[in-house]
Amino acid sequence: MTPAVLFVCLGNICRSPLAEAAFRHHAALKGLAAEADSAGTAAYHAGNPPDPRSISTAIYHGIDISHYRARQIEQTDFTRFTHIFALDEDNLANIRRIAPAHSTAQIALLMDLVPGREGQAVADPYYGDAAGFETSWQEVSEAARHLVRCLA
Ligand code: 4NP
């Protein structure tokens, strides 16, 4: 079965688009066939492109995410995706709370993939400066690298 991975943060404009991009990048490097998408637990930014600071951070690392569009997680995601990764504990709790009884996805915290970082959040860079977005990129890239290795 082809892995299908959904990355979920709050707004789907800062962290989860970076996680999706990093995962797509590392999957391509390893020749792993996988589907990927990202979503938010909130709908505030539905239909919007990623935050300009996320777009710049991804471009700096050679990846264009300007065509991504935010959306809210929906019930069908729980059977469409084999894995759903939350970027922090609050979003993990909300994902678990709305999961339907027939959910088939494995639901986990993204940083649990990184040895020594289990239980940690990818901190929300939204209210900070550009450096926070680079920190987020490094964290989601490390997790993506481990995830590709797990799925390959
Ligand atoms: P994200 O960051 O969850 O990483 O996309 C945020 C984006 C928007 C808001 C909060 C966090 N907001 O409150 O609008």
Side-chain angles (χ1 to χ4, degrees):
M1 188 174 176
T2 304
V5 185
L6 182 68
F7 300 93
V8 182
C9 61
L10 179 62
N12 191 208
I13 56 166
C14 296
R15 295 165 290 174
S16 61
L18 291 177
E20 177 187 345
F23 176 70
R24 288 182 182 279
H25 175 70
H26 285 285
L29 282 179
K30 290 281 183 203
L32 173 71
E35 286 180 36
D37 197 3
S38 58
T41 53
Y44 320 132
H45 297 280
N48 291 347
D51 186 285
R53 297 164 294 176
S54 279
I55 293 176
S56 301
T57 301
I59 285 286
Y60 180 77
H61 292 282
I63 301 169
D64 181 9
I65 62 167
S66 62
H67 57 289
Y68 288 12
R69 292 294 178 268
R71 71 175 180 88
Q72 189 173 28
I73 189 170
E74 55 192 35
Q75 293 288 293
T76 53
D77 289 325
F78 290 90
T79 45
R80 177 176 155 211
F81 291 94
T82 55
H83 299 75
I84 299 177
F85 288 105
L87 277 279
D88 63 35
E89 281 288 351
D90 283 351
N91 287 299
L92 180 64
N94 282 325
I95 292 163
R96 291 201 196 285
R97 189 175 50 77
I98 64 169
H102 63 276
S103 171
T104 49
Q106 286 185 41
I107 301 169
L109 191 66
L110 183 66
M111 292 307 281
D112 280 351
L113 291 162
V114 182
R117 300 292 307 270
E118 297 91 345
Q120 295 184 15
V122 174
D124 187 352
Y126 185 67
Y127 295 104
D129 59 15
F133 285 73
E134 177 60 24
T135 301
S136 296
W137 173 261
Q138 295 300 334
E139 291 173 344
V140 300
S141 294
E142 188 67 2
R145 217 165 47 78
H146 286 282
L147 179 55
V148 167
R149 194 185 299 157
C150 288
L151 295 176

